[in-house]
Amino acid sequence: RQVANTPIRINWAGGVFFFFFLIISLYGILGSSPSAVRPAIPLIILSITLFCFGWEMFKVLAFPLSMLIFMIPLPTLFGTTIGVHLKTISTLLGKAILMLAGISVFVEGNVIDLGVIQMQVVDACSGLRYILPLLALGVLFAYFFERTKWKQVLLVLSTIPIAIITNGLRIGATGILARLYGAKVADGFFHGFSGWLVFILAFGLLLLLYIT
């Protein structure tokens, strides 16, 4: 209904932005730099919307089109830099959970030593894969179900510590099962399936935060 009732007027500023982001894309393609091309894709779509349909329509469509930003992988350098810190935090959280379970553990770097078993927290286990989709869900949740601005911001920002904590729980639980049932548990079915369980838990915590 909003789209049907919104007037359409060309906005030339959108054309300027379109050509600007198009040049950036061409620069990235010619220079073999995906990090420059990928972020420009949703910005090009937004600028085309502004140019073809005008400011009023742009305001109506801005939020759903802006969600396209979550389809873009993080630049390698940025993802690696964040991943290093996330791996350290996740490793320490996993260690704390193992110690609470009464299991002797020694940590060196991102390696969790359980005695006869060693677990390494690799890039895929840093928690970054939880943060981005949970952040997207947090944005959707805040936009549709929360009207107070500061609560919207709090709900979105809370997705980051929730993702980190639940990832630490996953590492700790994997360590406990590996200690009890052997190293195959850490690499077997549980390793993949636990990712789904932890994400459901993370979303449940986000829902709980909204309710409270």
Side-chain angles (χ1 to χ4, degrees):
R1 288 196 298 270
Q2 279 185 286
V3 171
N5 295 326
T6 302
I8 296 176
R9 297 185 182 89
I10 290 178
N11 189 309
W12 293 102
V16 174
F17 285 117
F18 166 72
F19 282 108
F20 174 73
F21 294 126
L22 186 62
I23 290 171
I24 292 177
S25 297
L26 292 174
Y27 167 79
I29 292 170
L30 296 175
S32 300
S33 177
S35 297
V37 179
R38 290 167 181 165
I41 295 173
L43 295 174
I44 286 175
I45 295 173
L46 283 166
S47 60
I48 289 175
T49 303
L50 177 61
F51 174 60
C52 295
F53 301 107
W55 178 248
E56 293 301 319
M57 185 69 77
F58 178 81
K59 288 192 293 183
V60 174
L61 298 175
F63 177 76
L65 291 179
S66 296
M67 291 299 294
L68 294 174
I69 201 74
F70 289 106
M71 75 178 183
I72 302 171
L74 286 176
T76 304
L77 179 61
F78 187 63
T80 303
T81 303
I82 296 177
V84 169
H85 298 292
L86 289 177
K87 283 192 295 184
T88 302
I89 296 172
S90 297
T91 302
L92 295 176
L93 286 173
K95 174 187 175 183
I97 292 168
L98 288 165
M99 293 180 68
L100 285 173
I103 298 175
S104 298
V105 58
F106 175 75
V107 170
E108 184 176 1
N110 296 322
V111 177
I112 300 176
D113 192 341
L114 300 172
V116 294
I117 302 171
Q118 287 187 335
M119 294 170 46
Q120 184 177 7
V121 181
V122 296
D123 292 341
C125 298
S126 65
L128 197 58
R129 292 182 179 182
Y130 290 139
I131 290 177
L132 294 180
L134 193 64
L135 184 63
L137 285 175
V139 171
L140 287 172
F141 208 82
Y143 181 82
F144 285 111
F145 300 111
E146 188 58 71
R147 291 292 173 262
T148 308
K149 290 296 181 183
W150 70 268
K151 289 184 179 180
Q152 287 179 331
V153 174
L154 178 63
L155 201 61
V156 172
L157 294 180
S158 66
T159 59
I160 298 175
I162 287 174
I164 294 173
I165 292 170
T166 50
N167 187 58
L169 288 173
R170 180 192 182 195
I171 293 172
T174 302
I176 293 171
L177 291 177
R179 178 63 182 271
L180 294 175
Y181 302 106
K184 290 184 178 180
V185 176
D187 297 322
F189 171 77
F190 176 79
H191 186 270
F193 184 66
S194 63
W196 291 93
L197 291 177
V198 167
F199 192 80
I200 292 172
L201 173 62
F203 185 73
L205 291 175
L206 184 65
L207 180 61
L208 182 63
L209 179 64
Y210 165 73
I211 294 173
T212 55

